[in-house]
Amino acid sequence: MKSTLLVGALLTAMTATSAFAQAIKLADVAELSGGGATVGTNWKNGIDLAIEDINAKGGVLGRKLEVTHADSQSNPGVARAQVQKALDAEPYVLLGPGYSGSVKVTAPLAAEAGIAQIMGGEAAELTQAGNKFLFRTSFGQQSSMPKVAKYIHDEMKAKTVAVVWVNNDFGRGGRDVVVKELDRLGSKVVADLSTEAGQADFAADVGKIKAANPDAVFVYLNEEESARILKELKRQGVTAPLMGETTLIGQKVIELAGDAANGARGHVGLTTDAPVDLIKQFREKFSKKYNYVPDHNGLKGYLAVYMVKATTEKMGKVDPKKFADTLHGLTIKAADEPGILMDVTFSDTGDIDRQSFLVEVVEGKQVVKQVLPKVK
Amino acid sequence: MSNLFDLLVAGLATGAIYALVAVGFTLLWQTSQTINFAQGEFVMLPAFLMLAAMHAGAPFWLAIILGILLSMILLGLAFKLLLVDPMMRHGVLPLAIATMALAIGLKEAVKQFFSAEASPFPSILPTGDVSILGHAVALQSIGVLVVAIFAVIGLTTLLNRTSLGHQMQAAAQNPTVARIIGVPVERMILLTFLINAFLVALASLLITPIYLAKFSSGEVLGQAAFIAAIVGGFNQVRGAIAGGLLIGVLDNLAAAYVSTQYRAAVPMIFLIAVILFRPQGLLGRAEERTV
């Protein structure tokens, strides 16, 4: 009897150990504090929600997913150190960071280790450096900015435009593409204003916009700064229509800027207000779990995990070395994998093609005005 | 030209808030030789106390009163009794370093209890514009200026026109003699800590709707106010006020006419120039101490 018990106990211990060993380990490095805390917290919560969903349904190829979260403090130097630490633990896939500047300095580390990195950065240059292991969860600026410039020129009929951007990799990348496109279309940039990340006082910048008297203002800042400039634009009575990207009309910006966000428009690759049933279900699940409405970064984090799932299932095995090759050129259909929310195709450079939306803030809510189809 | 007028008004409004914070710097220095490097965080904290009161269900007006009272207890009374008094006997430098530690502690505590994300904060001032000399000026800017000016007038009246103020002056200028003639020096020092706590709570109420409530928002403010106090004259309340307004205007003009990238450098360069050519500050007097 004693020996039976002992064997039983041993078997239980061995099963537990093997289940533990079988878990697929992901590593996340995100902006959990500092200027990008809104970005990183949404991203992290999206990841956790997806993992919970997937594990509840039996995991990936019968194995559970596990993730470790590390804080980059919104600082590229810290991000690099955290990514190095995460890679030392040999994860299956690296998730994050969200800031383009942090992605830029960490991508070579992941590539060297041969680990695929699924990140939230949107700077154009990230996928243009020939990195074979880097994948986006949202549009790069080279895909979204031409759509923005076209909208400013064709729909807003703006002959003169003021461009306000944040002086970092993200802001500079967007500014360069949009200014080039506006110039090509024949809209004149009458004010080209760089601002600093974390800037609190926008009185002088808005004063310059007012003096330039443009037909439209293109605002390309991070979330908190977007909220501050929206308030200042309202305070100084600037009436020119405002156009931006997701960072101008995101949920957090609307919450922070209040009334001042009304009327702002933006091109959005991902929004929880999209007229897509699967996204509506995601929003409901997320809001129920975390008690707030996620922004696009919550969606990005969620999609990153489902990209891992779909790619792994396509391979039929957990193989970190073949992961990147399999994801290149892969089309994942929402009908086959509902967690991917919308049909998506990945290019050979890690860029994505997916439908997108034109959104306006009306009475504190994102309202989708147009759906822009997938390019291919 | 209209741009210059707008910049001046916006700069004066920001400068008025710097002035409130800078006055606190000089008050504490004058009466207790405390250089409070947590002064910026002292501006950040009251907004969170008010937000906490609102989350607990208090209406905005009640949250403001509670926030100011709690600030006076925590940032005035407790700060003096628990940090300044025990550290003071070790000298000015250990105390200054202790306030730096306090700044880090306050930031991390707010980050822990609230979050690292920014939160919106309601404004006590109405939105909209009024026309002054043909220029549309934001009511909020005027409101900030008016409230700050009234606070400063109230403070200078207290210091110069009342018996209490004279006792505070005496306690600052020569504590030993003040004690001999019966001035309750300890109580006067405590009073300046409470006044400082009130001023930072007021500054918090005025600036947070614009800067948003965030654990790190005190960094910029503390630095600007510190520069303002030195530029104006660390030993003069009127110097701190002038310094605050000057730095506010200079910052805005620098952002508009020099470069946004170098805006933070301009007040610093000005600070270096003042230290080199007029170390006592623009309105300060060498070797004199008064409040």
Side-chain angles (χ1 to χ4, degrees), chain A residues 32-35 37-38 41 167 194-196 199-201 203-205 207-208 210-211 224 227-228 231 235 252 255-256, chain B residues 3 6-7 10 14 111 116-121 129 136 138 140-141 209-212 214-215 252 255-256 260-261 263:
Chain A
L32 300 179
S33 65
T38 307
T41 310
N167 187 14
S194 85
T195 65
E196 291 304 301
Q199 188 173 321
D201 191 343
D205 309 279
K208 279 189 188 169
K210 226 174 150 181
E224 280 171 22
R228 292 192 187 110
K231 286 181 155 203
R235 204 163 76 112
K252 186 70 190 175
E255 184 197 330
L256 292 174
Chain B
N3 192 20
D6 291 339
L7 286 170
T14 317
K111 197 161 96 178
E117 294 188 52
S119 305
F121 190 84
D129 290 338
Q140 281 196 333
S141 298
I210 304 166
Y211 282 17
L212 304 173
K214 190 168 181 185
F215 75 97
N252 265 276
T260 320
Q261 279 148 290
R263 73 185 294 177

Side-chain angles (χ1 to χ4, degrees), chain B residues 113-124:
Chain B
F113 284 112
F114 286 84
S115 87
E117 294 188 52
S119 305
F121 190 84
S123 175
I124 50 162

